Amino acid sequence: NAGVTQTPKFQVLKTGQSMTLQCAQDMNHNSMYWYRQDPGMGLRLIYYSASEGTTDKGEVPNGYNVSRLNKREFSLRLESAAPSQTSVYFCASSPQGGTEAFFGQGTRLTVV
Amino acid sequence: DAKTTQPTSMDCAEGRAANLPCNHSTISGNEYVYWYRQIHSQGPQYIIHGLKNNETNEMASLIITEDRKSSTLILPHATLRDTAVYYCIVRPSGTTTSGTYKYIFGTGTRLKVLA
């Protein structure tokens, strides 16, 4: 039982490049989330998903797209990376009833 | 969604109780208080949550005032490993229109446990 797994752990992109951050959970959770955390700041919600095929915008969705491919996987795509998107990205999941959210270990993204 | 206010930082001596306050004066009757912590740069970790009554688990105790406008997370015997950023979150008991719960984080309290 790995919990929430994020890949890659580290990534450096050039401005304008695109990439997809992957997240998978093996806890059969319905809900999944993407957050970003800038240095010295709290987490901000980018997108979330209640179930396969449904996604909703969070606090800071601009510049990102998401896909809930199936119940296990929730990916975050940067179509044209900008230096302002340099951050640590966390994926999380929570079960039906939502007693708590479980977080992955993060993807550290630097855009130069 | 109700907002929370927490002190930016606190220190606590090792072995003593750490009392972390949180103000949520705009909380409504159907909103829960959740606490998470983030050690170094790891993913946040759930600690405890409550609605009206005080709660205790193996990690901490949560004291919610009678008017529910503030709460305190208590780590009874703080250790060096409890050094972390602690987040207080207010979460509605009902789901969003799409059927899930949103967890909105603030900036948290940076707790430093001193040897």
Side-chain angles (χ1 to χ4, degrees):
Chain A
N1 189 338
V4 179
T5 302
Q6 293 184 233
T7 55
K9 288 186 171 51
F10 301 92
Q11 183 71 48
V12 179
L13 287 179
K14 294 182 179 179
T15 298
Q17 286 185 317
S18 63
M19 81 160 294
T20 299
L21 280 63
Q22 306 287 352
C23 175
Q25 51 93 8
D26 61 3
M27 297 174 282
N28 201 36
H29 288 170
N30 289 327
S31 300
M32 296 186 74
Y33 310 82
W34 275 107
Y35 291 86
R36 62 176 286 175
Q37 184 173 35
D38 299 334
M41 305 290 287
L43 284 77
R44 291 186 290 171
L45 182 63
I46 305 172
Y47 272 93
Y48 58 102
S49 168
S51 61
E52 179 183 350
T54 67
T55 61
D56 289 291
K57 295 179 180 180
E59 301 172 278
V60 288
N62 291 344
Y64 304 95
N65 288 302
V66 290
S67 295
R68 183 74 183 270
L69 305 171
N70 47 54
K71 194 170 187 178
R72 289 188 65 247
E73 298 171 295
F74 189 36
S75 62
L76 178 72
R77 182 160 178 85
L78 288 71
E79 291 289 353
S80 179
S84 60
Q85 294 178 304
T86 293
S87 191
V88 181
Y89 291 84
F90 289 100
C91 178
S93 70
S94 69
Q96 190 91 18
T99 50
E100 63 181 280
F102 296 80
F103 284 79
Q105 289 306 299
T107 294
R108 284 151 182 77
L109 176 68
T110 302
V111 183
V112 297
Chain B
D1 298 337
K3 293 194 179 298
T4 61
T5 303
Q6 299 177 252
T8 302
S9 64
M10 296 180 63
D11 291 341
C12 176
E14 189 177 20
R16 303 296 295 269
N19 296 283
L20 291 93
C22 179
N23 181 288
H24 32 79
S25 58
T26 61
I27 195 170
S28 60
N30 65 348
E31 291 181 315
Y32 284 83
V33 179
Y34 273 73
W35 284 84
Y36 282 78
R37 73 180 182 183
Q38 186 175 27
I39 296 174
H40 195 45
S41 298
Q42 299 175 18
Q45 174 191 24
Y46 166 82
I47 301 173
I48 198 168
H49 74 281
L51 183 63
K52 296 181 182 178
N53 300 321
N54 298 336
E55 302 287 345
T56 296
N57 62 21
E58 65 279 4
M59 289 183 67
S61 294
L62 173 60
I63 308 298
I64 302 174
T65 58
E66 193 168 342
D67 64 8
R68 304 207 328 118
K69 292 185 176 182
S70 65
S71 61
T72 301
L73 178 75
I74 301 172
L75 308 177
H77 305 286
T79 70
L80 298 178
R81 287 175 293 181
D82 292 322
T83 293
V85 178
Y86 288 78
Y87 296 98
C88 171
I89 298 165
V90 171
R91 196 215 77 179
S93 62
T95 64
T96 63
T97 54
S98 60
T100 188
Y101 300 94
K102 277 198 307 185
Y103 299 87
I104 302 297
F105 286 74
T107 53
T109 295
R110 187 171 298 275
L111 175 69
K112 187 173 183 180
V113 180
L114 306 172

